[in-house]
Amino acid sequence: AHAAPFPEEPKRENKNVALFDHLYGNPRRTTLAGASKDVHPAVLALGLQMRNYVICGSSARCVATMLAFKRVIEAYVTPPQNSLPRHLTTHLSSQIEYLVSCRPLSISMGNAIRWLKVKISEVDVSTEESAAKTDLCNAIDNFITEKITVADQVIEKEGSIRYEMATKFKVIVVDSRPLFEGKNLARALADLGIEVQYSLTHGISHVIKDATKVFLGAHAMMSNGRLYSRVGTALVAMTAREADVPVIVCCESIKYTERVALDSFVHNEVAPPEELLIQGETSSPLLKWLDVPNLQLLNLMYDLTPAEYITMVIDESGYLPPSSVPFMQRLSVNS
Amino acid sequence: MPSPTGVLAPSLTTFTRSVRSKGVSVESSIDNLVSLFKRRQIRDSRPCAVATAQLLRRVVETSKVTDISKLIERVRQIGQRLISAQPRELSIGNIVRRVLGVIREEVEEDREGETSGYSDAGTDSRPQTPKEQDSRTPEPSTLSSRSLTTSPLRHGEMDSILEEVGDERPQRPPLLTSHTSYAVTNTAPTVTSMFSLLSYPRSNIHSPTATPGSQSPSIHLSLSSQALANAGAVKDLKAEVVEGIHEILEELNQADDQIAGYALEHIHSNEVILTHTSSLTVQKFLLKAAAKRKFTVVHAEAYPNHHEATHADVIGRTKSESDDSLSSEVFQKTLTAAGITVVLIPDSAVFALMSRVNKVILDTHVVLVNGDIVAAAGAKALAKAAKLHSTPVVVLSGVYKLSPVYPFDPDALMEDGDPSKVITYEDGDFVDKIEIENPLFDYVPVELVSLYITNLGGHAPSYLHCIINDHYRAEDLDLDISDVYQ
């Protein structure tokens, strides 16, 4: 869907925004061409799905990656003169490399992959290959269940945002360009019969007047208590805090990271600027943006919400203040 | 879209054309403008202000009133109709007040001019003027006695004095003190239609601050009792009022350039400036600075209501896209062509970038008397983010956007836009199930603004009310619609 709509010109101005020059890296892979022959078809598909935001969101990407890796492991045959714990890791690495070339890994994917590598290295060399593979696949299933599925259920329960409670409430979904991910949420909630109000970032100062609680999703929680999430989250949290509305972050502990961050510049993801062109609009003046010198489009994916704006974090183990995130992170790593 | 003017969609351009043509009566122009406002076919501060000024100029030009108080009343009533047609466009009311102020001022200056004319003619020395005036104060105030007691010397000079009125305004000495004393003794409201041609419209004054001394000219004029001279005076006055309205229109045209004139005082080299939505004022301001300095502009696109205009701004407009509200100025250089790096961002990225922004420059729809502004939706969150990062927020606004209205009910100034801009028809299936919010404006409180730049210069938020007081007369502040029903 995102085939490059512009013909390559021999000499082109650098359209990278100087402040984020360190984040551009190689352009995202658009085709399968040049992918290593080791890469499993499931992973090939997954990479493109993630690239085109068919699979989007920290948890979904994590689950999809683990499921794809399960298929990789199932199809894996240890080459002669090699042991599974040693070789499987390198085999996975080429899969991961491909995924990164499609879209940078999410924090949750990084955490899950690290866990999987540890699991693989723990496999006893003497174990029979088929048994080891089954063990690993079961471990992956357990991981998904434990860290994501059950965690989500627990968070849901703790957050008492379950619809079954029959409390009457209204949800205001604040969405943003260019992905409009909120539409899916709004649609899902509306289909359940919940009263939904939908607005975009520009209306935040208006809709906050009616809100009594703000729930935020997370891409990751940093070890200094800051929330790293879809760009625009910080605006919502700030507006809510100013209006004395509690801000609650729902976040599985798989999304905790030992990383710290102070601004949205050092660590971030810059998506292809073409995504900012309005879809389905052929007359948009922006289509010519590449021909306009000195014009740059910035399509930032994430921003960092200061810990002061966050009242509470809910994860599968309970409620905690954002300052407790590093402790929980240590616990979840050591467990 | 209904199109009363024919081929073109109704807009400011078509209105300008129709209001100038002799074939269209004033009444139909008024009705036309009222409906244009109601249908939002003319919107935004500047187009509304221009249309209002043009209409009022036509009204004054064509008015056959022989009584200035009637003219003021007529302008007021038309103003009320226009305001009630679109109460959220405060610039309409601003212009109506300015025009009323022009009329009142001309009336007063005329009066002053005449008295000074008399004294100059009589004694040829200004310092003596008050004395002479004072000597006249004990005049009896009834008509019959006046004609007897006033010196015949002044009769003959009537015509030349009236001629002087137009050219000599700047030199007139202020005679207010003598007027005051005069007025106190001479309060009988004996104005009848013929005699009150140039008199102050007592009947209209709601406020106690009415200028004193208003009766004196009518008395002198009544002495001449020449209908010809009177008609000439009204014509003169009318011409001056039209000239005054013309000046307002000029100001509307030049405001952006004048504001841009202050650009170099506010932008330093290598600065990162954040702006929001599409605005000619801001663009001119930045362009002016771009001629001398290098800086970076981060432009938030103000989706979904103004992003198209914003995109057009950064890419550069083509002829076909010309918008009547921008008229000929449309084809100007883009910032990028001036060598400025422009980074276009979605509104959501504002917070992420704020820590590297040096200044936020905002356009506004309206500035209210306490300094609060009504700006494009998204501006409040942006200004708040700036405040949290201690980034100064500069608001650019022509004086015509400064409204003397106190915002007792800010929500009344807000407006909702087309929901289909938020959820397009492709998502029609769930439109029925959800409520869509698409505000057009944000109400930004004065605390979030660091500086206002008008065509008169930069002002601290606390100083704004002085500018407003300078531009509107106290007796016109209350143009309230409710007055109509009194």
Side-chain angles (χ1 to χ4, degrees), chain B residues 224-243:
Chain B
S224 72
S225 61
Q226 286 177 350
L228 248 174
N230 291 346
V234 170
K235 206 175 262 173
D236 261 11
L237 199 109
K238 224 164 79 174
E240 277 172 38
V241 171
V242 169
E243 182 57 32

Side-chain angles (χ1 to χ4, degrees), chain B residues 251-295:
Chain B
E251 185 200 311
L252 289 173
N253 276 332
Q254 290 168 2
D256 288 346
D257 292 312
Q258 286 170 335
I259 294 171
Y262 301 99
L264 288 174
E265 291 173 29
H266 297 281
I267 294 176
H268 63 73
S269 310
N270 252 337
E271 201 163 19
V272 179
I273 289 170
L274 177 69
T275 184
H276 177 242
T277 189
S278 147
S279 152
L280 194 64
T281 317
V282 174
Q283 209 184 351
K284 280 193 171 170
F285 188 83
L286 296 176
L287 265 173
K288 192 85 179 178
K292 291 261 173 71
R293 315 241 154 105
K294 282 269 172 226
F295 52 94

Side-chain angles (χ1 to χ4, degrees), chain B residues 159-173:
Chain B
D159 292 339
S160 61
I161 288 158
L162 282 168
E163 279 166 26
E164 278 173 24
V165 165
D167 335 325
E168 280 209 336
R169 263 181 296 155
Q171 298 156 26
R172 272 167 218 150

Side-chain angles (χ1 to χ4, degrees), chain B residues 7-291:
Chain B
V7 201
L8 284 165
S11 63
L12 179 61
T13 325
T14 59
F15 176 74
T16 308
R17 218 166 285 156
S18 84
V19 82
R20 277 188 195 143
S21 72
K22 298 271 181 258
V24 182
S25 76
V26 180
E27 280 309 319
S28 70
S29 283
I30 298 170
D31 291 340
N32 185 15
L33 188 57
V34 165
S35 60
L36 282 172
F37 281 157
K38 277 189 179 161
R39 288 190 230 119
R40 309 293 275 137
Q41 281 161 337
I42 295 181
R43 56 188 309 157
D44 290 339
S45 292
R46 211 183 75 97
C48 284
V50 170
T52 310
Q54 282 171 342
L55 179 74
L56 292 181
R57 181 170 64 181
R58 180 85 199 276
V59 167
V60 174
E61 271 170 359
T62 55
S63 65
K64 292 199 182 65
V65 277
T66 45
D67 186 342
I68 289 301
S69 69
K70 288 218 178 101
L71 179 61
I72 290 183
E73 193 47 41
R74 179 157 159 77
V75 170
R76 241 175 88 89
Q77 276 171 359
I78 294 170
Q80 282 163 344
R81 277 185 66 192
L82 296 178
I83 291 167
S84 56
Q86 196 39 263
R88 289 191 188 96
E89 296 284 5
L90 294 179
S91 66
I92 301 172
N94 296 348
I95 295 299
V96 172
R97 288 185 184 96
R98 291 278 290 273
V99 170
L100 285 172
V102 165
I103 301 176
R104 290 186 204 278
E105 196 176 310
E106 294 301 341
V107 169
E108 277 158 34
E109 277 183 1
D110 234 32
R111 208 168 293 134
E112 274 176 28
E114 264 144 45
T115 36
S116 72
Y118 285 125
S119 39
D120 285 358
T123 62
D124 242 343
S125 89
R126 274 166 201 181
Q128 288 182 13
T129 310
K131 200 176 140 202
E132 205 201 340
Q133 295 264 323
D134 284 342
S135 71
R136 264 192 266 129
T137 48
E139 278 177 15
S141 56
T142 59
L143 203 61
S144 54
S145 56
R146 249 183 278 148
S147 54
L148 289 171
T149 49
T150 317
S151 149
L153 171 79
R154 285 167 188 120
H155 277 275
E157 282 156 15
M158 204 57 216
D159 292 339
S160 61
I161 288 158
L162 282 168
E163 279 166 26
E164 278 173 24
V165 165
D167 335 325
E168 280 209 336
R169 263 181 296 155
Q171 298 156 26
R172 272 167 218 150
L175 292 172
L176 275 171
T177 45
S178 59
H179 274 247
T180 316
S181 59
Y182 187 50
V184 170
T185 53
N186 191 6
T187 48
T190 52
V191 275
T192 51
S193 65
M194 198 51 122
F195 297 135
S196 65
L197 283 175
L198 293 176
S199 78
Y200 200 81
R202 274 287 143 134
S203 53
N204 241 0
I205 296 167
H206 299 298
S207 128
T209 54
T211 318
S214 46
Q215 301 292 10
S216 59
S218 68
I219 292 160
H220 293 301
L221 260 188
S222 69
L223 298 176
S224 72
S225 61
Q226 286 177 350
L228 248 174
N230 291 346
V234 170
K235 206 175 262 173
D236 261 11
L237 199 109
K238 224 164 79 174
E240 277 172 38
V241 171
V242 169
E243 182 57 32
I245 299 177
H246 191 71
E247 276 166 25
I248 294 177
L249 277 165
E250 282 290 292
E251 185 200 311
L252 289 173
N253 276 332
Q254 290 168 2
D256 288 346
D257 292 312
Q258 286 170 335
I259 294 171
Y262 301 99
L264 288 174
E265 291 173 29
H266 297 281
I267 294 176
H268 63 73
S269 310
N270 252 337
E271 201 163 19
V272 179
I273 289 170
L274 177 69
T275 184
H276 177 242
T277 189
S278 147
S279 152
L280 194 64
T281 317
V282 174
Q283 209 184 351
K284 280 193 171 170
F285 188 83
L286 296 176
L287 265 173
K288 192 85 179 178

Side-chain angles (χ1 to χ4, degrees), chain A residues 149-205:
Chain A
T149 320
V150 176
D152 283 352
Q153 286 164 3
V154 174
I155 291 171
E156 203 176 284
K157 207 175 279 170
E158 282 167 349
S160 63
I161 46 176
R162 287 177 309 162
Y163 183 53
E164 296 81 35
M165 282 183 65
T167 28
K168 195 168 157 41
F169 64 95
K170 173 176 165 185
V171 180
I172 304 170
V173 180
V174 177
D175 206 353
S176 71
R177 221 159 85 72
L179 292 179
F180 296 112
E181 294 157 281
K183 264 185 201 169
N184 299 330
L185 174 65
R187 197 185 293 264
L189 291 173
D191 286 343
L192 283 174
I194 298 174
E195 202 183 330
V196 177
Q197 189 177 6
Y198 179 87
S199 185
L200 299 174
T201 339
H202 75 295
I204 177 69
S205 307

Side-chain angles (χ1 to χ4, degrees), chain A residues 19-20 170 177 183 187 191 196-199 202 205-206 231-232 234 238 265 278 286 292-294 296 298 309, chain B residues 301 303-304 311 336 340 342-344 348 351-352 355-356 378 381 388 427 429 433 435 437-439 441-442:
Chain A
L19 271 176
F20 294 93
K170 173 176 165 185
R177 221 159 85 72
K183 264 185 201 169
R187 197 185 293 264
D191 286 343
V196 177
Q197 189 177 6
Y198 179 87
S199 185
H202 75 295
S205 307
H206 290 265
V231 66
M238 174 197 73
F265 299 95
I278 315 262
L286 216 51
V292 179
N294 295 323
Q296 298 166 351
L298 178 64
Y309 300 154
Chain B
E301 63 184 0
Y303 191 86
H311 294 170
T336 49
I340 298 301
V342 176
V343 182
L344 186 75
S348 45
F351 193 95
S355 59
R356 287 300 301 268
L388 285 161
D427 293 303
D429 57 315
K433 296 179 200 156
E435 193 183 321
E437 182 92 8
N438 180 17
F441 299 123
D442 254 358

